[in-house]
Amino acid sequence: MLVCTFIAHGSSFAHRGELRQAKRIVVKLGSAVVTRGDECGLALGRLASIVEQVAMLQNQGREMMIVTSGAVAFGKQRLRHEILLSQSVRQALHSGHNQLKDMSLPVLEARACAAAGQSGLMALYEAMFTQYSTCTAQVLVTNLDFHDDQKRQNLNSTLQELLRMNIVPIINTNDAVVPPPEPNSDLQGVNVISIKDNDSLAARLAVEMKADLLIALSDVEGLYNSPPGTDDAKLIDIFYPGDQQSIIYGTKSRVGIGGMEAKVKAAMWALQGGTSVVIANGTHPKVTGHVITDIVEGKKVGTFFSEIKPAGPTVEHQTEMARTSGRTLASLHPDQRSEIICHLAELLTDKKKEILTANKMDMDLAVNAGHLPPAMLKRLSLSPSKLSSLAIGLRQIAVAAQDSVGRVLRRTRVAHNLELEQITVPIGVLLVIFEARPDCLPQVSALAIASGNALLLKGGKEAANTNRVLHQLTQEALSLHGVREAVQLVSTREEVEDLCRLDKMIDLIIPRGSSQLVRNIQRAAKGIPVLGHSEGICHVYVDGEASVDKVIKIVRDSKCDYPAACNAMESLLIHRDVLRMPLFDQIIDMLRTEQVKIHAGPRFASYLTFSPSEAKSLRTEYGDLECCIEVVDSMQEAVDHIHKYGSSHTDVIITENEDTAEQFLQQLDSACVFWNASSRFADGYRFGLGAEVGISTARIHARGPVGLEGLLTTKWVLRGDGHTAADFSEQGTMKYLHENLPIVQPLVGQRDSN
Amino acid sequence: MLVCTFIAHGSSFAHRGELRQAKRIVVKLGSAVVTRGDECGLALGRLASIVEQVAMLQNQGREMMIVTSGAVAFGKQRLRHEILLSQSVRQALHSGHNQLKDMSLPVLEARACAAAGQSGLMALYEAMFTQYSTCTAQVLVTNLDFHDDQKRQNLNSTLQELLRMNIVPIINTNDAVVPPPEPNSDLQGVNVISIKDNDSLAARLAVEMKADLLIALSDVEGLYNSPPGTDDAKLIDIFYPGDQQSIIYGTKSRVGIGGMEAKVKAAMWALQGGTSVVIANGTHPKVTGHVITDIVEGKKVGTFFSEIKPAGPTVEHQTEMARTSGRTLASLHPDQRSEIICHLAELLTDKKKEILTANKMDMDLAVNAGHLPPAMLKRLSLSPSKLSSLAIGLRQIAVAAQDSVGRVLRRTRVAHNLELEQITVPIGVLLVIFEARPDCLPQVSALAIASGNALLLKGGKEAANTNRVLHQLTQEALSLHGVREAVQLVSTREEVEDLCRLDKMIDLIIPRGSSQLVRNIQRAAKGIPVLGHSEGICHVYVDGEASVDKVIKIVRDSKCDYPAACNAMESLLIHRDVLRMPLFDQIIDMLRTEQVKIHAGPRFASYLTFSPSEAKSLRTEYGDLECCIEVVDSMQEAVDHIHKYGSSHTDVIITENEDTAEQFLQQLDSACVFWNASSRFADGYRFGLGAEVGISTARIHARGPVGLEGLLTTKWVLRGDGHTAADFSEQGTMKYLHENLPIVQPLVGQRDSN
């Protein structure tokens, strides 16, 4: 049984991550959340999912309170229906479609609506909460209850008692007995706060009850720096009271009272009283189902109000810096980019001690924590020899950097005096996410620098110390030519999911790690392309004419050299003839010696008297000392099998027959197709690309190991002399030439600055 | 006011599209839908959204009935709660977290649960439907009600009366008085059908009530050809009773009675009775909110049961055929691909009459319908001269086809006897969606054929006749080398959204059309990359040192040659100095003569005594004879402005100063950057690419006008002699060479067959 501990707070939280600890939470539902439906009249589904979330948080042991608006609008809906029925029962029953929307109705009095709506709203809440075995209590308040100290104390102790009994209080203004609320503007004085709208009511209540968190849901995403919809409007993730002057408020929300300015004032008031506040959209159909739980889990939803400004720059600011500095990096001379990379290679050797000390810290922490598997520990650890081979790889990249950005790919004389060039340019801002493998950092940085791209790096928590030192060295190298900020290390606290939402700022995401990581990121990254391998279901096909030695060597290496790698063999396809050869027993013996667990495909199993366990699926990435064996009749059947069950990553044929091999290499539609070589060669360094940013199983842009080339795109440069398209029309005076011109690489470094 | 007409049917519908006409609909909710919650106990939010959809359809004038399961499970939940309370009130109130899940409970009797659940379930339905001003009625039925003719008639007339009064009947078995239901297997006899589970109850009722459509929701996606989760399982979109033998049934669903086999039998029984059936998942959190309305709108959700097999192949089958035939196409000799394209070019001239006759039909239909704007009509119409320039473009592509697939891009000697090649290969299966512009069809087909790709074409309905003829000619040309099926024309009836869901079968989607079309497809295409331009906010910057003649020519051409094109100018940036020159008045005069409506940017407006209307946003794609004018201080400011407000499509500088121009060309980060030439040159044909499949504003894979190159990807071919990665480890015997080898183009056509 899970025992949760929550910290009841006296002062507000500093980070979103701390919100998980909130024990007492006030959820304020704006009238738009409660009443505005998407297609029909009411937002029933939305309300149900909010009730679901509140009940769940309550079940975790938190104390939940709801401040609800919308009784007026709710009552309007109800009274309309009553009026309709009393106007003409027959008409209402038989008129058919849209009677509610189409019939003109008398103007309804707001307080009558409130009274009519209150009971319906409460009944609905109660019916819904009952489904979660959660009790609710209705509390109606008026101005006087907060002005009068005695009444305020009474209210306080009533609510305390309800919370103690695990009941969810549902609070609203008693609108039937007061004048309809109006927008307020006097929230400054602590004791004289008047409850003119539900935002300030919620704030007042949250402070009175010493709540840890106030979640204010309405129909806006949160606080923007300027009115939403204008050219420069950006949603503010974390708002610090000191920054208030930078906000331009827009118009009021459409339903109900309480524009953004009032919301912010109420939020700041709550913040001063020690309650953290998040303002978010509770009407968005796709996210309403988890908006409250997401906020409590610390996700970047809406605007979080915080009193304490964090020390470092925000990730948005880091991205801006990277883009700006990256543009300068792209306009450097290729020699300068090479120099930076060579300097980084030197630093890896010169500062070996610092790096290894930091790595020792990470290793000690990991060993002490004791939860990292040995393979992960091996990836985490650096050694002098790892560092020197890293430096060698970097120097290879430095050479390749000489001829990357600004290379002319195509020149065409479109017409007299009209010349077109296609040149390579950087992609822009890359986000590379890597798990516990710190040697990625200098490799990926070097590739980004060589290709003139800005880079955001997000490393695994386990390698935090090593990564920090390696990043400092990278920035030191970048300083050589004044582009220190082009490579940024993102805090380990940032959620990958939140980074994926920066879709206007990041041009390409490259996840390096498990296929699970890649899949998660592909799901989260809406609008940003993701370059990565989804799965590595690699096959080795042993032909009937294969050499025994090569089969044993290659199968062993493909499976056992590094079973967790994406380019390790997962399925071994054997030609039927091989079953009757001594080779077959040699393969099985070798796999047994190497302790590889064998799963039999259905055909293979049918040939055996005593079969190993049958493979659950022929499409499994074991990623361990396990593999599937299946039998095929021919090379052609092997190709068909791989097309059907493979992931188009890397597939190998072992044969001495060149014709069979060439057929296989030709016909197989995989990123890497090998003849008589281990699948483990599918790797940027082994391919001679210097290093890789990853292996792509995507079919566009880059495929297989991705080095420098995969980080470049192109732009088209046209130089004319007043040419117009109309000149080339049927009535025009000009004709297209479209002559291919020889490619002369021009004065490098002056070509492009992205 | 919208008047909907629905056709009440005697026999089932043939196509999903016809489901919109269904008047009387039975919605069957499996117990998993009603009771299984995602995080807390109950599926309240799910139920609410189902109620919302049913109420909406009812409001459209349809007659809705609900058959609901889940009373047993619902009652279980309720009784548990009661037992908990009676066991220990204090414990339940104060125990904190997860008390419902953690406490062990006595086994409950199913019929008691049903009785307890029934009232709660009905109360919930009623409370929810009341919110939509919709009345409900509870109807409990037993076996006897269907066996006894008199009772059946009574039931029938009661339900008819309820429907007549616009009331939603909610039907369940009266489980309290009958033995608990068991799986049934005797649904064959029409009159002796026993109601043993709610699937057959729903089917029985639907036929009895002559419903047009039965929607059966449970926790499975629909019918699969083999048990879901197995390697080859595919969801069946449309099921024809004759195909029943090809189904392998899996295990029963986890909650409630009624496995897939029973569902199918019930569905077929309803179908024979004249009711169409859709089986779909009602528990998927992302789609439940519109699963019912989607089905009624004819979208591809779940499995649709149809008696009539449509004439042509399904789109899935077309895609399979295209892929298979495309692999053959890819393995042809380049000369053969060229021949096909040349043959198509000839056919465009030879069969001119047929094409123009078909086009005349489309034009007449469009003119008679009268809803197509003149610009669209112009795009729709073909002429002899359009056809001959099409043929010229195709012959250019035929030449380029000689050197596309199987080209060696890189050769590396990795080690002794270990050679690596990177060669070009086709992407795979392309889906090209184009609006009313039939000349796209042969262009795109030729590009696909040249690059060895399979192609699915989806054209606009307006050009249906022309497209059919052009596609026939394309297939005739393809027949020359036995690859007739490599290019498929998808029926205009298919929804683009549904095509986007074929993510395992299509490798790249290329939408050609408005940026709205592109955005819609990008949203719909989860998992398939989309190549297209999102917006074309193109700028022309008039420098202080610009030539008057060139400015007038280029600005006029950029804006007025074809204002709806994505490469037309939307914003004109003017250097501040120009304001004081006669050139300024000449520009304004020209724009007035051309009837271009001017919107002033804020700075431009501040300079004028009488300003035109201010631009609402500097980021607007007018797509019409309108443009925005803004003033900048320098070329650098122009670059910054374009980076901030542009869409990185095409941007132009007009200046006589070469240094300024080169700086602009270098610094600006757009797909196309032009000097002294009209923005309208951003076009594949004008660039000399022969034709284009579109213009890409994406930053990866392809950028700007996309011709042949953009339809190719690469694969890596490694030829070894038993090499293993371990050979190259520190302890190994081999060293990497990584020598670049000269590229010798090999015996073409034998390189690759994708």
Side-chain angles (χ1 to χ4, degrees):
Chain A
M1 179 174 163
L2 179 79
V3 179
C4 307
T5 46
F6 305 108
I7 301 171
H9 244 242
S11 62
S12 64
F13 297 113
H15 302 299
R16 280 186 184 263
E18 294 174 1
L19 295 180
R20 288 169 204 265
Q21 300 165 1
K23 180 170 171 63
R24 187 168 285 182
I25 301 173
V26 175
V27 178
K28 186 252 156 182
L29 307 177
S31 55
V33 179
V34 181
T35 55
R36 193 173 325 132
D38 298 321
E39 286 172 326
C40 283
L42 289 173
L44 203 58
R46 184 153 64 219
L47 217 52
S49 77
I50 286 169
V51 166
E52 188 157 28
Q53 295 171 79
V54 169
M56 198 187 90
L57 292 169
Q58 176 90 357
N59 272 345
Q60 288 177 352
R62 303 184 204 262
E63 298 171 336
M64 306 299 294
M65 285 176 269
I66 292 180
V67 174
T68 179
S69 305
V72 173
F74 202 88
K76 212 177 270 173
Q77 189 77 16
R78 218 179 143 180
L79 288 186
R80 267 177 145 191
H81 184 215
E82 290 307 314
I83 290 167
L84 255 184
L85 282 179
S86 61
Q87 275 181 342
S88 160
V89 176
R90 285 197 67 81
Q91 200 174 351
L93 287 175
H94 289 185
S95 72
H97 6 286
N98 296 322
Q99 71 265 35
L100 285 182
K101 284 178 196 140
D102 300 327
M103 294 190 63
S104 60
L105 286 164
V107 178
L108 300 167
E109 210 272 329
R111 278 168 298 179
C113 286
Q118 196 64 51
S119 65
L121 194 55
M122 267 316 296
L124 195 60
Y125 277 119
E126 203 172 315
M128 287 179 166
F129 270 109
T130 303
Q131 307 309 323
Y132 299 98
S133 311
T134 303
C135 275
T136 55
Q138 177 181 16
V139 180
L140 289 180
V141 292
T142 65
N143 270 346
L144 284 176
D145 303 330
F146 277 94
H147 280 310
D148 182 318
D149 275 355
Q150 185 57 48
K151 285 200 171 170
R152 207 172 68 228
Q153 267 180 34
N154 292 346
L155 179 65
N156 189 316
S157 59
T158 304
L159 289 173
Q160 295 286 7
E161 185 60 18
L162 290 172
L163 292 176
R164 205 183 59 77
M165 299 203 303
N166 218 11
I167 287 167
V168 176
I170 296 177
I171 297 125
N172 204 343
T173 50
N174 191 356
D175 288 328
V177 298
V178 294
E182 278 173 42
N184 80 313
S185 55
D186 56 4
L187 256 167
Q188 303 305 337
V190 173
N191 279 317
V192 297
I193 175 178
S194 65
I195 301 162
K196 288 195 177 160
D197 62 87
N198 279 9
D199 288 307
S200 59
L201 167 60
R204 187 77 184 86
L205 192 97
V207 172
E208 177 67 41
M209 296 302 292
K210 293 196 172 52
D212 304 309
L213 172 61
L214 165 62
I215 298 175
L217 299 179
S218 68
D219 60 346
V220 291
E221 297 304 319
L223 188 56
Y224 284 82
N225 56 354
S226 47
T230 58
D231 274 343
D232 302 305
K234 268 186 201 162
L235 183 64
I236 298 171
D237 170 34
I238 307 181
F239 180 75
Y240 311 100
D243 290 355
Q244 199 185 358
Q245 60 284 1
S246 67
I247 309 293
I248 306 157
Y249 295 105
T251 48
K252 308 270 166 190
S253 93
R254 280 158 296 162
V255 168
I257 291 158
M260 193 32 96
E261 201 169 351
K263 281 189 213 313
V264 173
K265 277 190 181 163
M268 306 242 302
W269 195 86
L271 196 62
Q272 280 165 32
T275 298
S276 289
V277 181
V278 175
I279 292 181
N281 191 342
T283 63
H284 198 295
K286 288 232 173 97
V287 300
T288 306
H290 37 84
V291 60
I292 299 173
T293 46
D294 277 358
I295 288 169
V296 175
E297 280 167 21
K299 295 204 180 138
K300 287 198 181 176
V301 180
T303 301
F304 172 58
F305 287 72
S306 171
E307 279 194 314
I308 308 133
K309 207 163 178 165
T314 64
V315 64
E316 287 83 359
H317 186 45
Q318 283 186 299
T319 315
E320 291 282 1
M321 286 195 296
R323 184 180 284 280
T324 309
S325 201
R327 286 202 167 129
T328 313
L329 174 70
S331 69
L332 294 179
H333 192 282
D335 287 347
Q336 294 174 308
R337 284 189 292 267
S338 280
E339 278 167 35
I340 293 172
I341 298 166
C342 287
H343 188 32
L344 177 56
E346 278 161 35
L347 287 172
L348 289 182
T349 324
D350 295 354
K351 304 288 173 86
K352 200 186 299 180
K353 264 196 193 159
E354 281 179 54
I355 301 169
L356 294 176
T357 309
N359 190 242
K360 181 89 184 6
M361 282 171 65
D362 286 330
M363 289 292 290
D364 289 350
L365 284 169
V367 170
N368 289 339
H371 63 265
L372 277 194
M376 281 281 262
L377 282 177
K378 201 179 148 199
R379 291 166 139 204
L380 179 58
S381 89
L382 290 179
S383 64
S385 76
K386 254 197 195 178
L387 287 177
S388 41
S389 66
L390 251 178
I392 293 170
L394 258 55
R395 289 201 178 87
Q396 279 187 23
I397 298 172
V399 173
Q402 302 277 359
D403 182 35
S404 59
V405 179
R407 199 169 70 249
V408 179
L409 300 178
R410 172 196 279 261
R411 277 182 72 208
T412 309
R413 177 170 293 129
V414 175
H416 181 65
N417 269 344
L418 187 63
E419 271 189 37
L420 178 70
E421 272 181 11
Q422 186 183 22
I423 62 174
T424 57
V425 296
I427 288 175
V429 180
L430 314 177
L431 166 62
V432 177
I433 298 159
F434 56 106
E435 292 178 335
R437 200 170 153 175
D439 42 339
C440 274
L441 198 151
Q443 278 182 349
V444 170
S445 299
L447 286 170
I449 295 165
S451 54
N453 282 289
L455 178 63
L456 295 183
L457 287 159
K458 164 100 170 91
K461 207 161 49 190
E462 303 79 8
N465 292 300
T466 321
N467 285 340
R468 206 180 46 244
V469 172
L470 289 171
H471 177 246
Q472 279 163 2
L473 298 179
T474 308
Q475 290 207 320
E476 192 179 327
L478 284 163
S479 301
L480 197 66
H481 291 293
V483 287
R484 189 187 158 78
E485 306 299 340
V487 175
Q488 296 282 334
L489 184 65
V490 172
S491 152
T492 53
R493 212 177 45 229
E494 292 290 337
E495 299 281 339
V496 169
E497 221 176 287
D498 291 329
L499 294 175
C500 290
R501 285 193 198 125
L502 300 171
D503 63 326
K504 296 264 158 65
M505 306 171 81
I506 292 171
D507 298 305
L508 183 65
I509 301 178
I510 306 171
R512 290 189 56 145
S514 66
S515 57
Q516 186 58 45
L517 173 80
V518 179
R519 262 196 304 273
N520 289 345
I521 288 168
Q522 278 168 334
R523 211 168 302 132
K526 282 157 196 157
I528 315 180
V530 178
L531 198 69
H533 60 97
S534 49
E535 271 174 320
I537 304 174
C538 303
H539 295 75
V540 174
Y541 164 59
V542 177
D543 189 51
E545 298 173 68
S547 134
V548 173
D549 285 358
K550 290 178 192 168
V551 169
I552 299 300
K553 273 187 75 179
I554 292 173
V555 172
R556 181 197 283 123
D557 196 68
S558 296
K559 180 72 260 183
C560 314
D561 183 52
Y562 191 175
C566 63
N567 56 15
M569 179 191 84
E570 305 296 353
S571 291
L572 178 65
L573 299 181
I574 295 181
H575 192 284
R576 196 184 38 180
D577 294 347
V578 173
L579 289 180
R580 285 165 306 176
M581 300 179 189
L583 170 57
F584 173 71
D585 293 319
Q586 288 174 271
I587 296 173
I588 301 297
D589 285 349
M590 181 274 292
L591 291 174
R592 284 212 177 118
T593 312
E594 298 283 350
Q595 301 188 293
V596 176
K597 183 171 176 198
I598 296 170
H599 302 266
R603 243 192 103 184
F604 181 51
S606 74
Y607 282 110
L608 300 171
T609 326
F610 298 103
S611 158
S613 72
E614 248 193 77
K616 277 193 191 120
S617 162
L618 296 173
R619 206 178 277 140
T620 305
E621 188 178 15
Y622 297 101
D624 208 337
L625 280 175
E626 291 181 55
C627 78
C628 165
I629 300 184
E630 185 53 315
V631 174
V632 291
D633 279 345
S634 61
M635 182 276 297
Q636 191 55 53
E637 217 183 279
V639 167
D640 294 342
H641 180 105
I642 299 171
H643 279 162
K644 189 165 180 190
Y645 299 109
S647 65
S648 302
H649 188 293
T650 300
D651 299 290
V652 175
I653 183 171
I654 313 179
T655 185
E656 295 304 299
N657 184 325
E658 185 169 348
D659 282 349
T660 311
E662 288 299 326
Q663 282 291 324
F664 183 89
L665 297 177
Q666 240 183 64
Q667 289 186 30
L668 198 66
D669 177 30
S670 296
C672 304
V673 285
F674 297 174
W675 174 28
N676 285 351
S678 162
S679 61
R680 294 275 296 132
F681 282 105
D683 171 279
Y685 176 73
R686 290 174 188 156
F687 272 13
L689 309 178
E692 63 181 29
V693 282
I695 293 184
S696 168
T697 52
R699 299 192 63 92
I700 61 162
H701 188 65
R703 216 172 162 217
V706 182
L708 250 185
E709 291 295 320
L711 300 184
L712 294 170
T713 183
T714 62
K715 77 177 176 188
W716 300 88
V717 179
L718 184 69
R719 296 178 177 89
D721 189 36
H723 292 78
T724 64
D727 293 340
F728 294 83
S729 69
E730 276 178 71
Q731 301 81 36
T733 55
M734 301 199 79
K735 286 269 166 283
Y736 286 110
L737 298 173
H738 291 148
E739 274 170 50
N740 288 326
L741 298 176
I743 292 168
V744 192
Q745 291 305 336
L747 333 84
V748 268
Q750 289 303 311
R751 209 49 294 154
D752 172 68
S753 64
N754 192 18
Chain B
M1 180 174 164
L2 178 78
V3 179
C4 307
T5 45
F6 305 109
I7 300 170
H9 244 241
S11 63
S12 64
F13 297 113
H15 302 298
R16 280 184 183 265
E18 294 174 0
L19 295 181
R20 288 170 205 264
Q21 299 164 2
K23 179 168 171 65
R24 187 170 285 184
I25 301 173
V26 175
V27 178
K28 187 255 158 181
L29 307 177
S31 56
V33 178
V34 181
T35 55
R36 193 174 325 135
D38 298 321
E39 286 169 326
C40 284
L42 288 174
L44 202 59
R46 186 155 59 220
L47 216 53
S49 77
I50 286 169
V51 167
E52 190 157 27
Q53 295 171 77
V54 169
M56 199 188 88
L57 292 169
Q58 174 92 356
N59 273 345
Q60 288 176 353
R62 302 183 204 265
E63 297 171 336
M64 307 299 295
M65 283 176 270
I66 292 180
V67 175
T68 182
S69 304
V72 174
F74 201 89
K76 211 178 272 174
Q77 188 78 15
R78 219 180 143 177
L79 287 185
R80 268 177 144 192
H81 185 211
E82 290 307 313
I83 290 165
L84 255 183
L85 282 177
S86 62
Q87 275 180 341
S88 160
V89 176
R90 286 197 65 81
Q91 202 177 349
L93 286 174
H94 289 187
S95 71
H97 4 285
N98 295 324
Q99 71 265 33
L100 284 182
K101 284 178 197 143
D102 300 325
M103 295 190 62
S104 60
L105 287 164
V107 177
L108 299 166
E109 209 273 329
R111 278 170 299 181
C113 287
Q118 196 63 55
S119 66
L121 194 57
M122 266 317 293
L124 194 61
Y125 277 120
E126 199 170 321
M128 287 180 165
F129 270 110
T130 303
Q131 305 311 322
Y132 300 97
S133 311
T134 301
C135 276
T136 55
Q138 178 180 14
V139 179
L140 290 179
V141 292
T142 64
N143 270 344
L144 285 178
D145 302 330
F146 278 95
H147 281 310
D148 182 317
D149 275 354
Q150 184 59 45
K151 283 200 176 174
R152 207 172 67 229
Q153 265 181 35
N154 291 347
L155 178 65
N156 188 317
S157 59
T158 304
L159 290 172
Q160 295 286 5
E161 185 63 16
L162 290 172
L163 292 176
R164 205 183 60 78
M165 298 204 301
N166 218 12
I167 288 168
V168 176
I170 295 176
I171 297 124
N172 205 341
T173 50
N174 193 359
D175 288 327
V177 298
V178 296
E182 278 172 42
N184 79 312
S185 56
D186 55 4
L187 256 167
Q188 303 305 338
V190 174
N191 279 319
V192 297
I193 176 177
S194 65
I195 301 163
K196 288 196 178 161
D197 61 87
N198 278 8
D199 289 309
S200 59
L201 168 58
R204 187 78 182 88
L205 194 94
V207 172
E208 177 66 42
M209 295 301 293
K210 294 196 169 55
D212 304 309
L213 173 61
L214 164 62
I215 298 175
L217 299 179
S218 69
D219 60 347
V220 291
E221 298 304 319
L223 188 56
Y224 285 82
N225 56 353
S226 47
T230 58
D231 275 344
D232 303 306
K234 265 186 202 163
L235 183 65
I236 298 172
D237 169 35
I238 305 181
F239 180 75
Y240 310 98
D243 290 355
Q244 198 183 358
Q245 60 285 3
S246 66
I247 308 293
I248 305 156
Y249 295 106
T251 49
K252 308 269 166 188
S253 95
R254 282 158 294 164
V255 169
I257 290 158
M260 191 36 96
E261 203 170 349
K263 281 188 212 315
V264 172
K265 278 192 182 161
M268 306 237 304
W269 195 85
L271 196 62
Q272 281 163 30
T275 299
S276 289
V277 182
V278 175
I279 292 182
N281 190 341
T283 63
H284 199 295
K286 288 230 174 101
V287 299
T288 306
H290 37 84
V291 61
I292 299 172
T293 46
D294 277 359
I295 288 169
V296 175
E297 279 167 21
K299 293 200 180 140
K300 286 197 181 177
V301 180
T303 300
F304 171 58
F305 286 73
S306 172
E307 279 196 314
I308 307 134
K309 206 159 179 167
T314 64
V315 65
E316 288 82 359
H317 186 46
Q318 282 187 299
T319 316
E320 292 284 3
M321 287 196 295
R323 183 179 287 280
T324 310
S325 201
R327 286 201 167 129
T328 313
L329 174 70
S331 69
L332 292 180
H333 192 281
D335 287 347
Q336 295 174 307
R337 284 189 291 267
S338 280
E339 278 167 34
I340 293 172
I341 299 166
C342 287
H343 189 33
L344 178 56
E346 276 161 36
L347 287 172
L348 289 183
T349 325
D350 295 353
K351 304 289 173 87
K352 201 185 301 182
K353 262 196 195 159
E354 281 178 57
I355 302 170
L356 294 177
T357 309
N359 188 242
K360 180 92 184 1
M361 280 170 68
D362 286 328
M363 289 293 289
D364 289 349
L365 284 170
V367 170
N368 290 340
H371 63 267
L372 278 194
M376 282 281 263
L377 281 178
K378 202 179 148 197
R379 291 166 137 203
L380 179 58
S381 90
L382 290 179
S383 64
S385 77
K386 256 197 193 178
L387 286 177
S388 41
S389 65
L390 251 177
I392 294 171
L394 257 55
R395 290 203 175 87
Q396 279 187 25
I397 298 172
V399 173
Q402 301 278 359
D403 182 35
S404 59
V405 179
R407 199 168 70 246
V408 179
L409 300 179
R410 173 195 278 261
R411 277 183 72 210
T412 309
R413 176 169 294 127
V414 175
H416 181 65
N417 270 343
L418 187 64
E419 271 190 33
L420 179 70
E421 274 180 7
Q422 186 182 22
I423 62 172
T424 56
V425 296
I427 288 175
V429 180
L430 314 177
L431 166 62
V432 177
I433 297 159
F434 56 106
E435 291 179 333
R437 202 170 149 174
D439 41 342
C440 274
L441 197 151
Q443 279 183 347
V444 170
S445 299
L447 286 169
I449 295 165
S451 54
N453 283 290
L455 177 64
L456 295 182
L457 288 158
K458 163 102 171 90
K461 206 163 48 190
E462 301 79 7
N465 291 301
T466 320
N467 286 341
R468 206 182 46 244
V469 172
L470 290 172
H471 177 248
Q472 279 164 2
L473 298 179
T474 308
Q475 289 207 320
E476 190 179 330
L478 285 163
S479 301
L480 197 65
H481 292 293
V483 287
R484 187 188 161 81
E485 305 300 337
V487 175
Q488 296 282 334
L489 184 64
V490 171
S491 151
T492 54
R493 212 176 45 228
E494 292 289 334
E495 299 281 339
V496 170
E497 224 177 286
D498 291 328
L499 294 174
C500 290
R501 285 191 199 127
L502 300 171
D503 62 328
K504 296 261 159 64
M505 308 171 79
I506 293 171
D507 297 304
L508 182 66
I509 301 178
I510 306 172
R512 292 189 56 147
S514 65
S515 55
Q516 187 55 44
L517 173 79
V518 178
R519 263 196 304 273
N520 289 346
I521 288 167
Q522 279 168 334
R523 212 169 299 134
K526 283 155 194 157
I528 315 178
V530 177
L531 198 70
H533 61 95
S534 50
E535 272 175 319
I537 304 176
C538 304
H539 295 74
V540 173
Y541 164 58
V542 178
D543 189 53
E545 298 174 69
S547 135
V548 174
D549 283 358
K550 290 179 192 168
V551 171
I552 299 301
K553 272 187 77 177
I554 292 173
V555 173
R556 181 196 285 124
D557 196 67
S558 297
K559 180 71 256 184
C560 314
D561 183 51
Y562 192 173
C566 63
N567 58 13
M569 178 190 84
E570 304 296 351
S571 291
L572 177 64
L573 301 180
I574 296 181
H575 191 287
R576 194 183 40 178
D577 293 348
V578 173
L579 290 181
R580 285 165 308 176
M581 299 179 188
L583 170 57
F584 174 70
D585 293 319
Q586 287 173 274
I587 297 174
I588 301 298
D589 284 350
M590 181 276 289
L591 290 175
R592 284 212 177 118
T593 311
E594 298 284 350
Q595 302 187 293
V596 175
K597 185 173 175 194
I598 297 170
H599 303 267
R603 241 190 105 187
F604 181 51
S606 73
Y607 282 111
L608 300 171
T609 326
F610 298 105
S611 159
S613 71
E614 249 194 73
K616 274 189 193 127
S617 161
L618 296 173
R619 207 178 277 141
T620 306
E621 187 178 15
Y622 297 101
D624 207 338
L625 280 175
E626 292 182 55
C627 78
C628 163
I629 300 183
E630 185 55 314
V631 175
V632 292
D633 278 348
S634 62
M635 182 275 296
Q636 191 57 54
E637 220 184 275
V639 168
D640 293 344
H641 180 105
I642 298 171
H643 279 161
K644 189 165 180 189
Y645 299 109
S647 65
S648 303
H649 187 294
T650 299
D651 299 289
V652 175
I653 182 170
I654 312 178
T655 185
E656 294 304 299
N657 184 323
E658 187 170 346
D659 283 351
T660 311
E662 286 300 326
Q663 282 291 322
F664 182 91
L665 296 178
Q666 240 183 64
Q667 291 188 28
L668 199 65
D669 177 29
S670 296
C672 304
V673 286
F674 296 173
W675 173 27
N676 285 351
S678 163
S679 60
R680 294 275 296 133
F681 283 104
D683 171 278
Y685 177 72
R686 288 171 191 159
F687 271 14
L689 309 179
E692 63 181 30
V693 282
I695 293 186
S696 168
T697 53
R699 298 192 64 91
I700 62 163
H701 189 66
R703 215 173 163 217
V706 181
L708 249 186
E709 290 295 321
L711 300 186
L712 295 169
T713 183
T714 62
K715 78 175 177 189
W716 299 88
V717 179
L718 183 70
R719 295 181 178 88
D721 189 36
H723 293 77
T724 65
D727 292 339
F728 294 83
S729 68
E730 276 177 70
Q731 300 81 35
T733 55
M734 300 200 79
K735 286 272 166 282
Y736 287 110
L737 300 173
H738 290 150
E739 275 171 49
N740 288 325
L741 297 175
I743 292 168
V744 192
Q745 292 306 336
L747 331 86
V748 267
Q750 289 306 311
R751 211 46 294 154
D752 170 73
S753 64
N754 190 21

